[in-house]
Amino acid sequence: MYSLGPNMCLRRLLQSAQLQRAWRAVFVKHVQGRHQGAWRWTHSGGGTYRAVIFDMGGVLIPSPGRVAAEWEVQNHIPSGTILKALISGGENGPWMKFMRAEITTEEFLQKFGRLWSEISKTSVPVDSFFSLLTSERVAKQFPVMTEAITQIRAKGLQTAVLSNNFYLPNGKSFLPLDRKQFDVVVESCLEGVCKPDARMYKLCLERLGRQPSESIFLDDLGPNLKAAASLGIHTIKVHDPETAVKELETLLGFPLRMAVPNTRPVRKTMEIPKDSLEKYLKDLLGTQATGPLELLQFDHGQSNPTYYIRLAKHQLVLRKKPPGTLLPSAHAVEREFRIMKALANAGVPVPKVLDLCEDSRVIGTPFYLMEYCPGLIYKDPSLPGLEPSQRQAIYTAMNRVLCKIHSVDLKAAGLEDYGKHGDYIARQVQTWIKQYRASETSTIPPMERLIEWLPVHLPRQQQTTVVHGDFRLDNLLFHPETAEVLAVLDWELSTLGDPLADVASSCLAHYLPSSFPIQPGLRDSDLTELGIPTAEEYFRMYCLHMGIRPTENWNFYMAFSFFRIAAILQGVYKRSLTGHASSATAEQTGKLTEFMSNLAWDFAVKEGFRVFKEMPATKPLTRSHHTRARPQSLPRTPGMRSYVTSTDSSPAHVSKGALVFSPEGLSAPVRELYQRLKQFMERHVYPAEPELQHHQASAEKWTPSPLVEDLKEKAKAEGLWNLFLPVETDPEKKYGAGLTNVEYAHLCEVMGTSLYAPEIFNCSAPDTGNMELLVRYGTEEQKARWLIPLLEGKVRSCFAMTEPQVASSDATNIESSIREEDGFYVINGHKWWVSGILDPRCQLCVFMGKTDPHAPRHQQQSMLLVPMDTPGIKIIRPLTVYGLEDAPGGHGEVLFEQVCVPKENMVLGPGRGFEIAQGRLGPGRIHHCMRLIGYSERALALMKARAKSRMAFGKPLVEQGTVLADIAQSRVEIEQARLLVLKAAHVMDVAGNKAAALDIAMIKMVAPSMAYRVTDRAIQAFGAAGLSSDYPLAQFFTRARALRFADGPDEVHRAAVAKMELKRCS
Ligand SMILES: Cc1cc2nc3c(=O)[nH]c(=O)nc-3n(C[C@H](O)[C@H](O)[C@H](O)COP(=O)(O)OP(=O)(O)OC[C@H]3O[C@@H](n4cnc5c(N)ncnc54)[C@H](O)[C@@H]3O)c2cc1C
């Protein structure tokens, strides 16, 4: 699952001392030129320090050297080229000039880019590197430095930053630091001088009003330190911030780290009345509790603020509700107190609780107290600095403690009434929907989809145990030396419920990126190398220990867990807007709701795919509505039709497919799929039609409708996606649902009842034909480039065969040329009726042209995959069908002029275009027929409803004999056509597309005209309204009419049928 990708290389690279040395060399060279003989290392110490001066890059924020190395690896740029470009020109090179503000950012990027390109012999995206270097993600102050600066200032010492920096394009200097932390800030770009020029240091000392001997300077670059030391300033070389802070602590003689890990001074908005609290504690703890009360705030506790208290010998933790108006049932500290007390008695490691104070007069809100439990909290789930075996042990301990929580005997622990029994997930889904709605600030599409999807995919069976509700690594306190969990923290969301929700919750970090702002994740880590179990392994470990079978719908639990986090983050965000958030980062975290909901939706989609992937490939035959056909290999009786139907039910025939002529005869899983499709149509597609139609007539018509995109996501999550790929093309169900043609015929008919439906299920022409072409004939590279995005519904495609200047019903007439030239194919031609080419998502054109006009008639043609952004493709105009443009795909008239395509874009090989066309258009064309049955059914249904309700000449239309006759005629014709469609599909299933040629030709001859007649009758019964866009009839009619050409003219199919029929008789 996790590969040894660029990240691993990156890590190794960053560890390499060579790189660090190389980076420093830039500056060494620079300094040597200017300060020869001026070195003097001094660490003489002594005296009292009054000021600490910090360099910025490499001391307070990550060094540019690291950023450059990371960027080079990610962009496949040879290592060290940035460095070379930077030193190039020395003192008068673009970099040094930029830092002295002698050139603008634009000039710098130009000159630097040129130098860099010369060195690397290729064009380099210098802007992208510069953006990364100055991005918020990278340029972030190290927390250990923030802590140290706070402590230094708390002791009355001064602080300064002395930085070689530059101006940003917005005219501000690059200083991603809180200036309030420093008494003095000296920036090279403002002063026009750079370190190690002595003037920089002197300026800084002057502004601080300090002597060199009273100051300490921290930098990661030797030359800068040497220059400072030569002035008599004490220096610390920074290799890594942690070690540097320790060294600084020694020099200053006081601690720079908070005595209590993960704490900080209490935030202004989170202050609590100390006097009142002190009095309360003294009463509680007895008279011996004297001395000043020390109060710090834990970084933890986004939701319920948590404080560290030291009073005399007592070390306590106080947890309280946040101030302000709270969402219903949230922040129940009373419950936390109760569960921790009960679990401690049941042997679960939790901090020892001491007291619950529900009187808001004491500190403003209810709170409870527990003993402070020293230990380690691992905030980074990749557990940096540990050995793989230690990491494995930590995750195993985490897993075990979860099992322990889930194994608590509710009755013995007195927790039977701690929550409701059963339906936990259903209730949780509703709770979080409600919480989300209460704090909603704007519409987030994936949240909306999840709100619909989750309630209809709830797990059927659930156990009831204690659930923690937010079980993750950084809510566990570990023994500092062993992998023992000393305490499970933060029980705010605990209740009785489905334990698997906790397991899923503890795997969230596995799917978050390492740079995730709230909490680093493991998504881009090599877990095997780290020794950390994958989410699947972690889940299996849990099941094994609990003695249960792994659940199938694990994806549901993950989707739910991410949804819940998204809803929580939205609450935090909403509170941050009203100024009551308990964390300074609340606003930032709230904005991550959308990110989390997208992750949740990915799991919903996975769950949808799991459902249809698990349908058996061979369909057990059930019920009475089917007959079976003999395969071609069986001996034929002379004069008989080749594929007679048979009612033989011997097992030998079972796997060969069945002519199921009504949906009731489908196998159980396909019947279920059919039902779900119908429900989806009722619930989502038909109601969306007015809006979709409105979009097609609006000014935005050439832009895909966002509603279609939304419905596509929903369909994916239901597993109603790529149903069209027949099992014989995709036997391993690698790309699609693996249905037989007969099975798909029933589903495709349902999709045909709405003109918008096929695209929503990724089952629309011409993409389906093109996808099947790629599955059958594409190389692995072609599949990766085109098939996968098409299957994902991310892009669309078109098919260009028809030409205005020749009768294109005879494809041998096609004149467009495909010429080989210098290892490329060059295309020239004039095409029209290219459906879908105007869609902005259309990225692929399957082009048919002649590679060899002198070859035998059916070997002159070839098919090429042409990327739509290839120069030379000119869309002349959109064509209309009865005045309709069919936006956003449309039908384009297109010129291909000197369009140059790599040779590997040829499908199958030159001269094989006809062969492919047969393969492509077999199943693809009968899909149209399947849909035409759907058009007709809907038209007849509308006609019946209208005829029953409309009165003319004193009675409903339905009592008019002509109307009755039309209804009867339509029913009969639909049934006839459907049987023929099913038969063609059936023969394709049992004997292949080639053998089904006659049946395919027959149905293509029959279906469009039948649909055309049925919709025409329906329109007639509707009166003028039938021609309007208030009903889909007019569009069905034009589509059916167009399909009498688009699928090849009727006459051509008729000629084909006659030819085959005549052959048969002879
Ligand atoms: C809505 C729509 C979408 C389309 N989409 C695409 C697309 O995406 N890509 C693409 O390449 N093309 C597309 N087409 C074009 C379609 O494939 C062609 O229109 C069709 O192949 C006929 O070619 P033609 O228009 O050149 O007619 P012609 O070949 O000129 O034929 C004209 C008429 O001649 C008669 N005729 C032809 N052959 C015979 C015969 N053997 N016996 C008796 N009479 C005959 C028929 O009446 C026929 O209608 C589309 C067409 C429509 C209407």
Side-chain angles (χ1 to χ4, degrees), residues 943-965 967 1021-1022:
M943 178 187 179
K944 288 190 293 186
R946 178 78 168 192
K948 278 188 207 160
S949 65
R950 195 94 168 153
M951 303 287 285
F953 300 99
K955 53 183 177 183
L957 286 180
V958 80
E959 288 180 23
Q960 301 290 352
T962 54
V963 174
L964 285 173
I967 290 173
F1022 259 73

Side-chain angles (χ1 to χ4, degrees), residues 799-802 806-809 833-835 881 891 1042 1045-1046 1049 1051-1052:
F799 183 72
M801 182 195 73
T802 306
V806 293
S808 304
S809 46
W833 294 104
V834 184
S835 301
V881 178
H891 311 284
F1045 296 118
E1051 292 80 359
V1052 174

Side-chain angles (χ1 to χ4, degrees), residues 421-440:
H421 289 242
D423 283 342
Y424 168 73
I425 298 286
R427 283 182 284 110
Q428 279 281 299
V429 166
Q430 288 313 321
T431 303
W432 290 108
I433 291 175
K434 240 188 262 160
Q435 299 260 19
Y436 172 71
R437 288 287 187 224
S439 52
E440 195 175 0

Side-chain angles (χ1 to χ4, degrees), residues 42-75:
T42 163
H43 266 296
S44 51
T48 317
Y49 299 109
R50 301 304 312 151
V52 181
I53 307 168
F54 297 87
D55 166 44
M56 184 167 72
V59 175
L60 296 175
I61 62 171
S63 96
R66 282 185 178 228
V67 181
E70 183 179 335
W71 190 89
E72 283 175 342
V73 172
Q74 275 169 2
N75 290 279

